[in-house]
Amino acid sequence: MRNPVRRGTARSGLRLLLAVLILLTSLVGTANAEVHHPRQQWLRDSTAGLFLHWGMFTAPRHLNCAEWERDVTGGGWTPEYWVDEATKLGASYIVLATFHSRLGYAKPWPSKIPGSCATQRDLLGELIKAGNAKGVHIILYMTDDPQWHKETGIETLDSAGYSAYKGEQVDLTTRPGFGKYSYDLFFEVMERYSDLSGFWIDNDNEYWEQNKLYEQIRAKRPSWLLSNNNEDTPIMDTVSNEQKTGMTPSYDYPQAAFTPMPRLTEADYKLPTTGDWWYSGGDSPVDTRLSTGRYITNAGSSMKSLMAETPMVNGKFPPQQEQFNNFMASWTPPIKSSLQGKEGGGYMYGGMQPGFWNDGAHGVITVEPGAKTQYLHVLTRPRTDQVRLRDNGYQVKRVSDQRTGERLRFSQSGGYLTILGIKNWDTYDTVFKVETSGQQGFYPQSSIKATASASKAGNPASNLVDGSFENFWDSDAHTPVSLTLDLGRRKPARYLAVNQREASPTYARESFGRPEDSARIMDYQVSVSDDGRHWGRPVKVSAMPSARGVQFIDIGDQRARFIKLDVLNTWSGPQAPRFDKQLAIDEIKVGYEYAGSFFQPQVPLEAESWHNDRDGSAHLGWCDACSGTLQVTGLGNGQRNAVTYDDVTVATAGDYRLELGATGSGSLSVSVNGAAPVDVQAAGIPDVPSPVAVSVPLKAGANKVTVFSKDRNGPGLDRIAVAPLPPASYVPRTTLTVNPAGIQWLPSGQQSIKVSAKLRVDVDDALDQVKLAPVLPAGWSLAGAPATASTLRLGQTLEATWTVTSPAGQNVTAADIPVTASFLNLGKALTASKPLRVALRPADRVFMREAEDSANDIGDSGVTNCGQCSGGQKVRNIGGSPIAFAQFGNVTVPAAGQYTLYLDYTVNGPRSYFVSVNGGAPAEVKTNGQGNTTPQTSTLTVTLNAGANTIKLFNDTEGAPDLDRISIG
């Protein structure tokens, strides 16, 4: 696990093919997994665990096991210290990673089995005893990986000693030999420590699987837990997700997870912000904001926070980690009841909607059993003094501050709960206890019949309305796809609540060298019908954000028997084949009314407020989906038909974000303090407010804000909201794809390259005045016009193709040509950019291409960063399976004949490529190396055709080296 480079599991081709199938299955549910078992209950009730990497190579590195044990004991190591520090963190268990490939394969118990470092003192036994005394479970980490046996130059695996013990020759430095050795250790531990709580296993070893290790653990120690790292293995209790990054906000760890509830999952991450997983001699800082955010968001998705700290040889944690532990010891107790034994809200356990809320707020929900009592965790506070979120039909009775008990005012209507007048914000997590009388306004699932235009065998459309989140519908990789809900007779319907299968991350990423992306709904439309045959125009056409938890589709005040949801596409694409079109949905509910009551405080700045002036034809109108159930309509034909707020108050003068909840589509105009109006474009449906925002200047104190429409029949207005502008660092999240990718190695002379780019908006922000084009170095020329759009919204794209040409009369020089998208967001000029990289091909090569180039097919392999590699990237996870390869098409040479194929790669230990040219018989290229970070080169003589050729590198049965690039000489 703790290895930042490829582990190189050399499984059989059949085994890896099965592993891939298991991973694919995890996208839509893990077949035959023991999802529920009584042995898991203590972990389900837990919030967190403490991960300790500690061994012979803990700084200062020891090369002798006895010397390490002497310094451990001499330094004052005690198990009680670890147990007490875990308790400060609210951790219910400790995972001890001492038998670790990068820490000397140390066994912290007096093992009778020779083969690697073993202590005379029973450190593991002492830790188990100390943990049991204070209710902290102990789990033992076991590695499958012998490849780091000589990382320090000193051999850490004793093949001779183990061979003598077994009475046969066993090479522990090979996977089969190490598998046999570690297999024996599992049984030694089971015999010695009946009160251990389980094994945390870092990937699989073929020997273990062939000899039914896990099944024997189940039979011998049925109460023990089994955890596996980074893959969903059915026999395991827990899926651990290692060190995920790249999400927004950075602390929202579950956005990178891929395993649906109720499967037990861990978020496995380092508390020290920098450094290795083990102590390497420094006092690395702990980012309190990041770490507390991860702790809470994991609880909000029923994930366990497995936090790694770095104990020194004496067992003590460096000062900054101890300081964080002490902080947690005082910070968590007041909110412990909102975390311990609770489930994540907005998913299968019920609860309001987690994620992004109003005015920059972000948070998660935890729920009591039955979800009548819920806890709103506000991790990023809004830029105002209120929190507004979707209530998921829960009728709220009372809201209070979890830390202080203070009762808070709230308003509920139109599908939203608004908590008002919040003054006391915790720096890291403001928690509100929300007491409800349960959900209301949904038709019983049993009264609805669901059908689909496509379904996977075993996952029919009826699962959408069966009331069980453990049964789900699967599109069988079909999109577009239609889902039809039959209400039985003509009934009112106002919204859909959709819980998609939480079987993918929410954003595009590379995880351990493999591409991942969201398998969730992007573009969709909703239609209604009385007979199921005649549908008319869709009542809603929009895009759904790629976000975890329940999502809502408000459709206005409809009366119909049939409701059809057409899913036009998903957020993923062919670049992530394991997620492309893999749409699955747990449940869809149909709401016929919103929760709320008339006797409650009014949300500030409602359009219908009696404080406002309504001029001309502006008048009140009913609107169930609106805040307060009213709106102002009749705002068309200019400023004579307007609603005016006379007292929009801010403390200090400046530019502010003004959001308008507009019903319908068309333009709205906003005039502040009599200034010239600013126009914004609404794009919604009648009787359902959709937010549009504009930047406006406000003076300190009261301001006069007038809203009207220049259209003949303008949109209605639900309410406005005023908040400070987003932070200066804020840039709406987009995905910019540029092809070709990877350095383009060009021959001498003037050259031209065809470049394409696509910009996608990934968040619910409007990008205005969008322009997309390459920015050329001096002397280069461009054929093709910039792509432009007046506005882009969630899920919308802008794309174009150009030809760029280098200066005439000279060779290409190394250059980055940025393809740049420029746009406005709330009047602020912003950019997103990605480079096209070009370089002059060496004179002794007739062809050269990076492994990560978009022109290649890399199957189930993936791209990862590599600081010393050409272009800063390489392709990893080649081999071990027929679908993990690197294939180079259109390898062009001037004439038929024999050429030298140069393979630039990185490798740790002995590995092989098999190279096939134009589908011919493969030739083996054997490699060997240390560390997997420094590129090396091997050559092979190949016979090529004149013009285009195809070269494939693979190894169907064992892991191959990581590939930097190929070239032909």
Side-chain angles (χ1 to χ4, degrees), residues 891-969:
V891 177
T892 305
V893 295
Q898 286 192 326
Y899 291 83
T900 300
L901 171 64
Y902 293 87
L903 306 175
D904 297 341
Y905 59 87
T906 67
V907 71
N908 189 61
R911 297 180 183 278
S912 291
Y913 291 116
F914 288 89
V915 180
S916 172
V917 177
N918 295 323
E924 184 177 6
V925 178
K926 295 182 178 181
T927 70
N928 201 347
Q930 187 72 35
N932 207 29
T933 58
T934 302
Q936 304 178 58
T937 302
S938 287
T939 61
L940 177 70
T941 299
V942 294
T943 300
L944 301 177
N945 301 324
N949 296 265
T950 298
I951 298 177
K952 181 178 180 181
L953 285 77
F954 63 97
N955 188 328
D956 288 351
T957 60
E958 297 185 346
D962 296 347
L963 185 63
D964 181 10
R965 67 182 178 188
I966 71 168
S967 56
I968 305 291

Side-chain angles (χ1 to χ4, degrees), residues 746-752 780 805-813 840:
L746 304 178
S748 58
Q750 186 180 31
Q751 301 296 327
S752 295
W780 285 69
T805 303
S806 65
Q810 63 186 68
N811 288 336
V812 173
T813 56
L840 180 64

Side-chain angles (χ1 to χ4, degrees), residues 366-377:
T366 55
V367 298
E368 300 273 9
K372 283 192 174 183
T373 299
Q374 307 180 31
Y375 301 90
L376 277 58
H377 298 262

Side-chain angles (χ1 to χ4, degrees), residues 847 849 853-858 886-892 918 947-952 966:
F847 177 88
R849 188 188 294 161
D853 195 298
S854 55
N856 302 328
D857 181 0
I858 61 173
Q887 182 167 292
F888 294 72
N890 200 29
V891 177
T892 305
N918 295 323
N949 296 265
T950 298
I951 298 177
K952 181 178 180 181
I966 71 168

Side-chain angles (χ1 to χ4, degrees), residues 23 130 182 202 342 403 406 440 450 452 468 535 543 555 655 672 715 782 788 806 831 954:
L23 182 54
S182 51
D202 200 350
K342 305 301 183 290
R403 284 189 169 85
E406 175 190 2
Q440 66 175 41
S468 171
W535 294 96
I555 57 176
D655 291 334
V672 177
L782 177 71
T788 61
S806 65
T831 61
F954 63 97

Side-chain angles (χ1 to χ4, degrees), residues 402-417:
Q402 176 69 8
R403 284 189 169 85
T404 67
E406 175 190 2
R407 190 165 180 171
L408 293 159
R409 295 184 302 122
F410 67 90
S411 180
Q412 189 178 14
S413 60
Y416 285 86
L417 167 67

